[in-house]
Structures are given as C-alpha cells and as structure tokens.
Amino acid sequence: ACSVVAAGVAVGVQRCPWNRLGVRPGMGQSGSSADKTPSCSVPTSTQLRRAKPNLTSKWWALQADGVAPAPVCLQTYGKAYAALLEQHCGQHRKEHQRCIKSKKLDPLDMKAWYPECGEPFELENACVAGLLAEVDKRCIGSLDKAADALERASGNLQDARLTSALESMGQCVAKVAAARGVNPKYDAEAARQRFSMSKNLLAR
C-alpha cells in the first residue's frame, strides 16, 4: 500500500486501514477529528447526484445507489481521492470548519450551522462536482471496467476479475492525484446562489 506524502501522492493503490475508519457524518470521510484533514474520503451520494450531468462512467451510479459499497470505494481509492480533495477543494472545507468552530456551532446540526457557515459548504460541494468530472474524464476506462466487473461479480466482492479491476481503478485515481494540470471547473457564483436560496428556506 502507498501512503499520502506531503509533496503529493505516491502512485499505487491507496488503501484505508479499516481498524481506523470512522465516517464523518454527511461527508463520506474518515478520520479521528473533523478538524483534521481526512485520511480517506469518497464522494457522498448527494455529491454524486449533483455531479451526475457531467459524469459519463456508470461506476458513479453504482456507487451512489450503494451497489458499490462504501467500504469497497474507500479501500479502492479513498486515500487518493482524499488527497485530490485536499489539493483542490480543501480551502472550502477548512473555511467551513473554522466557521463552525469560531461560532461554537454543533457540526451535526445542519439547521444550526447552515445559515452561518453554509456558503463554504456549498462551494466545497460545487468543487467536488468539478473534481469528479476530472476523475471521470481521466479514468473513464478503468472506471467502466470496474463497473462491468462489479455487475458481473453479482455481489461476490472477492471475485478475481473485480479485484483486478478495482486495483486498476485505484491506480488511475492515484495518478490523477499525483498529476499536474488538474484544474476542476465549477461555478462558484451558482454555489453562492444555492446557499442564499437554501438559507432563506431555512429561515421560513
């Protein structure tokens, strides 16, 4: 297994140690504290559905629907995706966490923190959609092969072809994390407008 390093990500399958997993509610991430950068992360079903118009691989629908179980996704590409997320969208996550901490809000009570700290949350989700589109474009072949293997395995997660396909998929996401020139495109203004509308709805 390769580890995330300060200068980037070593190319290889990024595996998450299951004895340390603890998914942070609503974020599809693992780690001991919400204040720390998660060591493993995968997009949530909500994020996948928001990004759906810009995704072409059928892998994402299998993940969003739970056909590709969260543990498998975390083990396959969780470390590499966490590194990508930190590189390209981490500033929004950190701003969101700083806001919640400074205002002493309950991070598990969305109705409480959203009106005050929801804008960076929406910016992160928009950034995630752009990031997923980049991964989809660069790894379409391995994503589709993993999706086909998962469907053929009919629930047998130990299937040799599935294991091989997932390995290749994880390697591809790791290469994206280590690559230069990854530039996820997203509409920050639309995210701010979404926050404004949602905030108004909560205030009613």
Side-chain angles (χ1 to χ4, degrees):
C2 299
S3 59
V4 179
V5 293
V9 179
V11 175
V13 177
Q14 307 291 314
R15 298 202 179 279
C16 303
W18 265 106
N19 59 346
R20 289 168 48 204
L21 275 184
V23 177
R24 183 156 70 90
M27 296 306 290
Q29 298 172 344
S30 71
S32 59
S33 170
D35 293 332
K36 296 179 181 178
T37 301
S39 60
C40 287
S41 179
V42 293
T44 65
S45 296
T46 298
Q47 289 171 334
L48 286 169
R49 291 187 178 106
R50 285 192 190 183
K52 185 177 179 180
N54 297 317
L55 302 179
T56 56
S57 175
K58 58 184 178 181
W59 169 267
W60 306 115
L62 294 176
Q63 183 173 327
D65 293 340
V67 178
V72 170
C73 299
L74 282 162
Q75 289 285 357
T76 300
Y77 71 95
K79 279 187 177 289
Y81 182 76
L84 268 173
L85 196 63
E86 179 63 18
Q87 290 169 29
H88 300 287
C89 309
Q91 71 274 22
H92 302 309
R93 181 184 60 81
K94 289 174 183 174
E95 184 182 346
H96 177 230
Q97 291 174 350
R98 278 196 300 267
C99 180
I100 288 176
K101 191 173 183 179
S102 67
K103 298 179 184 299
K104 298 180 180 179
L105 298 168
D106 181 357
L108 301 181
D109 186 354
M110 189 173 185
K111 287 185 178 180
W113 61 252
Y114 190 89
E116 298 288 336
C117 306
E119 183 172 308
F121 172 78
E122 294 296 353
L123 286 167
E124 180 184 9
N125 282 333
C127 182
V128 165
L131 191 60
L132 286 171
E134 280 289 316
V135 174
D136 182 78
K137 178 175 68 177
R138 292 167 181 253
C139 296
I140 183 69
S142 59
L143 286 165
D144 280 347
K145 285 179 182 177
D148 289 340
L150 181 63
E151 290 178 327
R152 286 198 302 268
S154 301
N156 178 15
L157 299 180
Q158 305 304 317
D159 179 82
R161 289 184 180 179
L162 175 60
T163 301
S164 176
L166 291 175
E167 184 103 357
S168 296
M169 175 181 155
Q171 288 172 349
C172 185
V173 179
K175 287 177 182 177
V176 177
R180 295 181 180 180
V182 177
N183 184 28
K185 296 177 176 61
Y186 60 99
D187 191 337
E189 186 55 37
R192 294 186 178 96
Q193 290 174 0
R194 184 185 185 94
F195 162 65
S196 181
M197 289 187 292
S198 298
K199 180 180 177 180
N200 290 337
L201 285 173
L202 282 174
R204 291 179 182 176

